[in-house]
Amino acid sequence: MSTSEMTRAAMSQPSEPEAKAAPQPAQGKAAVRKNRVARTVVWMSLAMVLTIAAYLFWGRDRLPAVEVLQVLGGQKVPGTSFIIMSDRLPRVAVGALAGAGLGISGALFQRWLGNPLASPDVIGVGYGASAAAVLAMITLGYTDWKLNAFALAGGLVVAALIYWLSASGKRTGPRLILAGLAIGAMLQALIQYLLTQAEVNTASDVMHWLTGSLSSSNWNSALILLITLGALGALLLPFVLRQLKMLELGEDSAAALGVNVPWARVLLVFVAVAMGALPIAITGPLAFVAFLAGPISAALSRGPINIPLAGLTGATLVIVANFFAANLFAETALPVGVITGAFGAPFLIWILVRANSTGNGA
């Protein structure tokens, strides 16, 4: 081999740093996804903080900025202190916690089943929690923590029933959604029947609750949500997320990696249902929050659904909806569920049209 040929051969070989850098594309993509998620978290957090500030100053009735700042600084201002500390801040706290729980609940179902329609309010789990809560309110008169227990139990029972009807929990998204729609229709009929048997005042309260509202929010409600959702998020959610990543590889692959697949599915369903049912017991069913949070967060970060980001998105959706509910009409304060439902219905239609146009049936 001549000297020039040896030189060309040496130049064609990658240097040691280049050889080590060869497998970097996958790592580069992961870094890009993390950056997108981080940017989305920053912008979502900023939107929520700005909306909270706007609501504190201009929620329903405009308050003097100086007085609001004094109250937030710990001073007592007659009238303003009550509005901020007993009405607006509790609504913000309950709304953010409820939205986060619903967002995480919907995202867990959507990731696990691989279908954007597989959220608690579409597959009937939300109706199970609502029907159980209505039963407890009308027949037993519960309004405290027992209502949370009934809502959680109702959601779990319906989830178990749908789980059984859709081939024992296999990844059959369309069958699960159809079973959930059927169960949800029956539960809606049950709720309507219970309303006909209730006293007028009780039925009025239940109807207001069913629209999804933050009007009855208080610090006790916020504390209940903080403790229950915080315990689930700190103790069980990290484990469930690790199991979910392996389940997404396929149940056979997950089992080969040492995952007890049946128990992993049961725990995932329990956490997803609890994250959605506990807020429903406090605020009523906030329509489409669980359905919207995951797809919106995925669209903004341009990647797969990120569970914590979906929780932040759900919290932001409820906070923004609460601001519009208070200010959209001059003489009428709308329930938050009316706003989320008005936003969610067109989004659901858009997903259905997009699925049909791309050939990806729901």
Side-chain angles (χ1 to χ4, degrees), residues 69 100 109 111 136 139 164 175 178 200 207 243 292 308 327 344 346:
L69 294 175
F109 277 115
R111 276 275 300 269
T139 62
W164 174 71
R175 293 184 63 182
L178 289 174
V200 175
M207 285 297 296
Q243 300 290 303
L292 291 171
N327 293 279

Side-chain angles (χ1 to χ4, degrees), residues 57-123:
F57 286 95
W58 299 293
R60 195 73 195 127
D61 296 308
R62 185 169 183 172
L63 297 175
V66 174
E67 293 184 2
V68 174
L69 294 175
Q70 287 175 342
V71 171
L72 295 178
Q75 300 182 37
K76 293 286 186 180
V77 180
T80 302
S81 292
F82 177 81
I83 293 173
I84 295 296
M85 301 306 297
S86 298
D87 180 42
R88 295 186 184 179
L89 278 180
R91 288 195 190 210
V92 166
V94 170
L97 290 168
L102 290 169
I104 291 173
S105 175
L108 285 173
F109 277 115
Q110 289 164 338
R111 276 275 300 269
W112 175 43
L113 296 170
N115 194 315
L117 297 180
S119 69
D121 40 9
V122 174
I123 64 176

Side-chain angles (χ1 to χ4, degrees), residues 16 25 45 60 71 97 101 104 112 119 174 192 213 260 297 345 352:
E16 185 175 348
S45 301
R60 195 73 195 127
V71 171
L97 290 168
I104 291 173
W112 175 43
S119 69
Q192 296 300 321
S213 175
N260 187 327
S297 63
L352 292 173

